[in-house]
Amino acid sequence: KMRRLVDLLEEFQEIREHCLIFTQYREMGEMLQKWLQQYFAQEVFLLHGGVPRKRRDEMVEIFQNAPEAPKIFLLSLKAGGTGLTLTRANHVIHYDRWWNPAVENQATDRAFRIGQKKNVQVHTFMVSGTLEERIDQLLENKRDLAEKIVGGDNLWIGNLSDRELQDLLRLDPEALEA
Protein backbone atom coordinates (compact mmCIF):
# COMPACT_ATOMS: atom_id res chain seq x y z
CA LYS A 1 0.00 0.00 0.00
CA MET A 2 2.79 2.37 0.86
CA ARG A 3 4.49 1.86 -2.51
CA ARG A 4 1.21 2.57 -4.32
CA LEU A 5 0.59 5.62 -2.14
CA VAL A 6 4.02 7.03 -2.96
CA ASP A 7 3.49 6.37 -6.69
CA LEU A 8 0.20 8.28 -6.64
CA LEU A 9 1.61 11.12 -4.57
CA GLU A 10 4.58 11.47 -6.93
CA GLU A 11 2.13 11.85 -9.82
CA PHE A 12 0.15 14.47 -7.89
CA GLN A 13 3.32 16.34 -6.97
CA GLU A 14 4.44 16.50 -10.62
CA ILE A 15 1.19 18.15 -11.66
CA ARG A 16 0.96 20.24 -8.44
CA GLU A 17 -2.34 18.79 -7.25
CA HIS A 18 -3.53 18.56 -3.66
CA CYS A 19 -4.57 15.40 -1.88
CA LEU A 20 -6.48 14.29 1.22
CA ILE A 21 -5.46 10.96 2.75
CA PHE A 22 -7.85 9.39 5.24
CA THR A 23 -6.91 6.72 7.74
CA GLN A 24 -8.99 5.35 10.56
CA TYR A 25 -5.95 5.15 12.85
CA ARG A 26 -4.26 8.17 14.42
CA GLU A 27 -1.05 6.15 14.82
CA MET A 28 -1.05 5.26 11.11
CA GLY A 29 -1.50 8.94 10.30
CA GLU A 30 1.48 9.82 12.47
CA MET A 31 3.65 7.18 10.80
CA LEU A 32 2.57 8.26 7.33
CA GLN A 33 3.17 11.93 8.15
CA LYS A 34 6.70 11.28 9.36
CA TRP A 35 7.59 9.06 6.40
CA LEU A 36 6.01 11.28 3.74
CA GLN A 37 7.62 14.44 5.12
CA GLN A 38 11.01 12.76 4.90
CA TYR A 39 10.39 11.26 1.46
CA PHE A 40 9.01 14.41 -0.18
CA ALA A 41 11.07 16.85 1.94
CA GLN A 42 8.00 19.00 2.61
CA GLU A 43 5.44 19.56 5.32
CA VAL A 44 2.48 17.19 5.49
CA PHE A 45 -0.48 18.24 7.61
CA LEU A 46 -2.09 15.72 9.99
CA LEU A 47 -5.50 16.28 11.57
CA HIS A 48 -6.77 13.91 14.24
CA GLY A 49 -9.07 14.22 17.24
CA GLY A 50 -6.25 15.45 19.50
CA VAL A 51 -5.45 18.53 17.40
CA PRO A 52 -6.64 21.73 19.14
CA ARG A 53 -9.41 23.64 17.35
CA LYS A 54 -7.18 26.66 16.71
CA ARG A 55 -4.49 24.54 15.01
CA ARG A 56 -7.13 22.67 13.01
CA ASP A 57 -8.53 25.96 11.71
CA GLU A 58 -5.02 27.20 10.85
CA MET A 59 -4.22 24.04 8.87
CA VAL A 60 -7.51 24.25 6.96
CA GLU A 61 -6.98 27.94 6.18
CA ILE A 62 -3.42 27.35 4.96
CA PHE A 63 -4.36 24.26 2.93
CA GLN A 64 -7.26 26.06 1.28
CA ASN A 65 -5.65 29.41 0.56
CA ALA A 66 -1.87 29.67 0.96
CA PRO A 67 0.09 29.66 -2.33
CA GLU A 68 2.76 27.33 -0.93
CA ALA A 69 0.44 25.17 1.18
CA PRO A 70 1.33 21.52 1.76
CA LYS A 71 0.00 19.38 -1.06
CA ILE A 72 -0.75 16.45 1.27
CA PHE A 73 -3.25 16.56 4.11
CA LEU A 74 -3.61 13.45 6.29
CA LEU A 75 -6.78 13.12 8.33
CA SER A 76 -8.18 10.57 10.70
CA LEU A 77 -11.62 9.56 9.45
CA LYS A 78 -13.47 10.78 12.52
CA ALA A 79 -11.66 14.12 12.83
CA GLY A 80 -11.81 14.64 9.08
CA GLY A 81 -15.53 14.00 8.85
CA THR A 82 -16.67 16.93 10.96
CA GLY A 83 -17.63 20.05 9.06
CA LEU A 84 -14.46 20.60 7.06
CA THR A 85 -14.35 22.14 3.62
CA LEU A 86 -11.20 21.16 1.75
CA THR A 87 -12.04 21.93 -1.85
CA ARG A 88 -8.44 22.62 -2.82
CA ALA A 89 -7.92 18.86 -2.93
CA ASN A 90 -8.86 17.07 -6.07
CA HIS A 91 -7.71 13.65 -4.88
CA VAL A 92 -9.07 11.70 -1.92
CA ILE A 93 -7.32 8.55 -0.76
CA HIS A 94 -8.85 6.12 1.73
CA TYR A 95 -5.69 4.44 3.01
CA ASP A 96 -7.51 1.94 5.20
CA ARG A 97 -11.17 1.00 5.25
CA TRP A 98 -13.77 1.83 7.88
CA TRP A 99 -16.65 -0.49 8.73
CA ASN A 100 -19.28 2.17 8.10
CA PRO A 101 -19.60 3.38 4.50
CA ALA A 102 -21.35 6.56 5.68
CA VAL A 103 -18.19 7.58 7.58
CA GLU A 104 -16.08 7.12 4.43
CA ASN A 105 -18.62 8.99 2.33
CA GLN A 106 -18.71 11.86 4.81
CA ALA A 107 -14.91 12.03 4.74
CA THR A 108 -14.86 12.03 0.93
CA ASP A 109 -17.40 14.85 0.96
CA ARG A 110 -14.76 17.18 2.48
CA ALA A 111 -13.53 17.71 -1.08
CA PHE A 112 -17.02 17.71 -2.66
CA ARG A 113 -18.30 20.99 -1.26
CA ILE A 114 -19.89 24.11 -2.63
CA GLY A 115 -17.13 25.96 -4.42
CA GLN A 116 -15.35 22.86 -5.75
CA LYS A 117 -14.32 23.65 -9.32
CA LYS A 118 -12.17 20.58 -10.04
CA ASN A 119 -12.95 16.96 -10.72
CA VAL A 120 -12.23 14.93 -7.60
CA GLN A 121 -10.81 11.44 -7.91
CA VAL A 122 -11.30 8.98 -5.04
CA HIS A 123 -8.77 6.18 -4.51
CA THR A 124 -9.54 3.39 -2.06
CA PHE A 125 -6.69 1.16 -0.92
CA MET A 126 -7.15 -2.45 0.02
CA VAL A 127 -4.79 -5.40 0.37
CA SER A 128 -6.20 -8.66 -1.02
CA GLY A 129 -6.57 -11.57 1.36
CA THR A 130 -6.63 -9.37 4.47
CA LEU A 131 -9.24 -8.01 6.87
CA GLU A 132 -9.47 -4.99 4.56
CA GLU A 133 -10.78 -7.18 1.77
CA ARG A 134 -13.38 -8.67 4.10
CA ILE A 135 -14.41 -5.18 5.22
CA ASP A 136 -14.72 -4.15 1.58
CA GLN A 137 -16.97 -7.15 0.87
CA LEU A 138 -19.07 -6.34 3.93
CA LEU A 139 -19.46 -2.73 2.76
CA GLU A 140 -20.43 -3.82 -0.74
CA ASN A 141 -23.02 -6.22 0.70
CA LYS A 142 -24.43 -3.41 2.87
CA ARG A 143 -24.69 -1.11 -0.15
CA ASP A 144 -26.39 -3.79 -2.24
CA LEU A 145 -28.86 -4.59 0.53
CA ALA A 146 -29.67 -0.91 1.09
CA GLU A 147 -30.18 -0.40 -2.64
CA LYS A 148 -32.54 -3.38 -2.83
CA ILE A 149 -34.54 -2.30 0.21
CA VAL A 150 -34.76 1.47 -0.13
CA GLY A 151 -33.54 2.19 -3.65
CA GLY A 152 -31.16 4.91 -4.65
CA ASP A 153 -32.90 7.66 -2.72
CA ASN A 154 -34.70 8.14 0.57
CA LEU A 155 -38.06 9.05 -0.92
CA TRP A 156 -39.49 5.63 -0.04
CA ILE A 157 -40.00 6.57 3.61
CA GLY A 158 -42.19 9.53 2.67
CA ASN A 159 -44.41 7.21 0.65
CA LEU A 160 -45.26 4.98 3.61
CA SER A 161 -48.73 5.14 5.14
CA ASP A 162 -49.04 6.02 8.82
CA ARG A 163 -49.63 2.34 9.60
CA GLU A 164 -46.59 1.20 7.58
CA LEU A 165 -44.41 3.79 9.30
CA GLN A 166 -45.64 2.65 12.74
CA ASP A 167 -44.93 -0.97 11.84
CA LEU A 168 -41.44 -0.03 10.67
CA LEU A 169 -40.62 1.81 13.90
CA ARG A 170 -42.36 -0.50 16.37
CA LEU A 171 -40.26 -2.90 18.45
CA ASP A 172 -40.71 -6.46 17.21
CA PRO A 173 -42.91 -8.35 19.74
CA GLU A 174 -40.64 -11.41 19.38
CA ALA A 175 -37.74 -9.32 20.68
CA LEU A 176 -39.68 -8.69 23.90
CA GLU A 177 -40.10 -12.45 24.45
CA ALA A 178 -36.40 -13.23 24.16
Side-chain angles (χ1 to χ4, degrees):
K1 281 183 1 179
M2 186 61 152
R3 181 73 246 160
R4 180 65 184 129
L5 177 64
V6 168
D7 288 346
L8 274 177
L9 293 175
E10 285 175 342
E11 290 176 33
F12 304 159
Q13 296 284 317
E14 285 177 22
I15 54 178
R16 303 189 49 77
E17 293 185 333
H18 292 75
C19 174
L20 306 177
I21 303 171
F22 289 98
T23 177
Q24 63 175 309
Y25 307 107
R26 175 181 175 167
E27 295 80 8
M28 178 59 75
E30 290 167 348
M31 288 188 297
L32 287 170
Q33 180 188 35
K34 182 179 177 181
W35 198 90
L36 293 172
Q37 284 182 154
Q38 289 175 339
Y39 185 86
F40 288 106
Q42 62 184 260
E43 185 176 15
V44 173
F45 283 159
L46 172 61
L47 177 63
H48 54 74
V51 173
R53 177 71 181 212
K54 183 179 178 189
R55 178 63 182 142
R56 169 192 144 145
D57 293 346
E58 288 171 357
M59 286 190 293
V60 169
E61 176 64 26
I62 292 167
F63 184 81
Q64 283 292 96
N65 299 309
E68 295 304 316
K71 304 270 187 281
I72 302 168
F73 201 147
L74 285 159
L75 306 99
S76 71
L77 271 174
K78 290 187 178 181
T82 53
L84 296 175
T85 298
L86 298 167
T87 54
R88 192 169 194 181
N90 55 320
H91 295 278
V92 174
I93 297 173
H94 291 284
Y95 192 76
D96 40 51
R97 303 301 308 265
W98 185 247
W99 296 92
N100 183 346
V103 173
E104 283 188 350
N105 293 341
Q106 185 181 36
T108 298
D109 287 346
R110 300 308 109 215
F112 286 105
R113 293 286 202 206
I114 294 172
Q116 178 57 276
K117 294 173 177 61
K118 300 172 268 191
N119 291 324
V120 177
Q121 295 180 31
V122 179
H123 312 267
T124 302
F125 285 25
M126 178 184 53
V127 177
S128 297
T130 66
L131 176 62
E132 289 178 327
E133 185 174 46
R134 290 185 282 286
I135 291 171
D136 183 66
Q137 188 58 52
L138 176 70
L139 294 176
E140 288 304 314
N141 291 345
K142 280 179 153 181
R143 283 187 190 101
D144 290 346
L145 181 60
E147 184 69 31
K148 288 175 185 167
I149 293 173
V150 298
D153 55 38
N154 291 323
L155 299 176
W156 66 276
I157 200 162
N159 294 329
L160 295 177
S161 69
D162 289 345
R163 181 72 181 165
E164 290 169 323
L165 186 57
Q166 286 175 343
D167 289 344
L168 178 66
L169 298 174
R170 181 177 296 123
L171 183 61
D172 187 342
E174 290 179 17
L176 296 173
E177 295 171 11

